[in-house]
Amino acid sequence: MYSTEHEQRFDNGAPEAPEQLGLLSEILNRETFRTLGQEVGVGHGWRCWDVGAGDGSVARWLAARVGTSGHVVASDLKPQHIPSHPRIEAIRHDLTEDPWPEPEFDLIHARLVLMHVAEKETVAAKLAAHLRPGGALVLTDWYCGCATEGIIKSPVNAYTARIFQQYHDGVHKLAGETGMDFDWASRTPDVLSAAGYRDITVRDFRAPGEGGAPTARLARLHSSMLEPFLLSQTDLTVDDLSVIREKLLDPEFEMVTNHTYTTVVRVPK
C-alpha cells in the first residue's frame, strides 16, 4: 500500500506519533467537520467508514452524529490510537492488501491517505463503488503550490530564506522517496469523473501559517522527526535546524501552507 520501507517514513508507531496526529487534528478537523456536517449532512443511522483514522478524532465525531442506530468503521495500518467507543469498530486494515469491510456505506471518508497509496486512482474509484445509493465519498489530501507561491510569507533575510528552502526541498525529496504524491489532490476530481461520477464538488482550505500555529508546530515537529535525513541529504546543519525551529515559534514569522483539497463525490440514489 505505502512505500514504508524507508527508515525515515512517518509511522503511527513512532514516539512522536500522538503529537503529530494531534496537530493534524488541530489543523484539519474544523474544516472536515464543516464538510461532513453541512455539505454531506451525516446524520442518525448512517453507516460510515473512516479510512486512515489516525487518532480517531473524526471517527469519534462521526459516532456522535450517527447516534445509537449508526455505526462507524475506523481503519488504519496501526489503529492503536483510535479510542474505544460502542459505535466505533476499530480495525487494522491495508486498502491494497486486506479484504474490505462489507460494502454499501452511507459515507466513506479518507483524509491524507490516498496521497500515500500507490494505486490511488483504482482505490478512489473502488471506494466510490463501495457506497450505498445516495452515499458520499469524501477525500482530502494536501496539494503543495510552493513551487509557484514560495514557502515564506513574512519578510526574512537571505540566510533564513535559504535554510527554509533547503528544509522544504529536503522534506519533498523524502516525500518522493516514500511515495507521497503532492499533486494527487489536484487530480482527484478528474480521476473520479473519468470513472463515471458526475456529482463532484471540491473545497480548498488553507490553514494559517504563523509561527506557533498548529501548522508551524507540525513543521517544527517534522524537523526533529526527520533530522537524520535532513542532515545527511541536505546542506542543513544542526544550527540551521535550531534556527528553523525558533522561527516556527515566532508569531512574527509566517510560512505558506499547503492547499487542503477536499473532493466530495455523491453517488446517484
Side-chain angles (χ1 to χ4, degrees), residues 191-211:
V191 167
L192 288 160
S193 178
Y197 297 97
R198 297 292 174 259
D199 190 350
I200 301 173
T201 59
V202 181
R203 299 173 68 102
D204 180 8
F205 165 72
R206 302 186 81 170
E210 296 86 357

Side-chain angles (χ1 to χ4, degrees), residues 6 16 24 74 98 132 146 167 179 195-196 216 218 240 244 246 263:
H6 199 292
E16 303 89 348
L24 288 170
D98 297 329
R132 289 175 176 169
C146 297
Y167 170 71
L218 181 64
D240 294 335
I244 287 172
E246 182 180 351
T263 299

Side-chain angles (χ1 to χ4, degrees), residues 26-40:
E26 282 190 65
I27 295 166
L28 298 171
N29 275 3
R30 180 175 296 181
E31 183 66 14
T32 294
F33 298 161
R34 182 181 296 116
T35 299
L36 296 178
Q38 297 179 11
E39 183 170 345
V40 176

Side-chain angles (χ1 to χ4, degrees), residues 122-197:
T122 300
V123 170
K126 186 179 175 183
L127 286 170
H130 222 57
L131 292 165
R132 289 175 176 169
L137 171 65
V138 179
L139 301 177
T140 297
D141 286 290
W142 275 333
Y143 170 77
C144 181
C146 297
T148 56
E149 301 173 37
I151 59 174
I152 301 176
K153 283 188 176 181
S154 57
V156 294
N157 58 33
Y159 166 69
T160 302
R162 175 177 62 81
I163 62 174
F164 268 89
Q165 187 66 54
Q166 290 175 333
Y167 170 71
H168 172 268
D169 293 346
V171 170
H172 279 255
K173 178 182 179 182
L174 177 61
E177 292 181 5
T178 56
M180 293 173 65
D181 185 349
F182 278 102
D183 290 326
W184 159 250
S186 65
R187 305 196 312 271
T188 307
D190 291 339
V191 167
L192 288 160
S193 178
Y197 297 97

Side-chain angles (χ1 to χ4, degrees), residues 32 36 48-60 62 72-76 82 89 91 105 107-111 113:
T32 294
L36 296 178
C48 305
W49 181 12
D50 186 23
V51 183
D55 67 355
S57 58
V58 175
R60 291 196 303 272
L62 290 170
V72 178
V73 176
S75 65
D76 204 287
I82 302 170
E89 177 187 356
I91 62 172
F105 289 90
L107 168 76
I108 299 177
H109 169 260
R111 189 174 76 185
V113 175

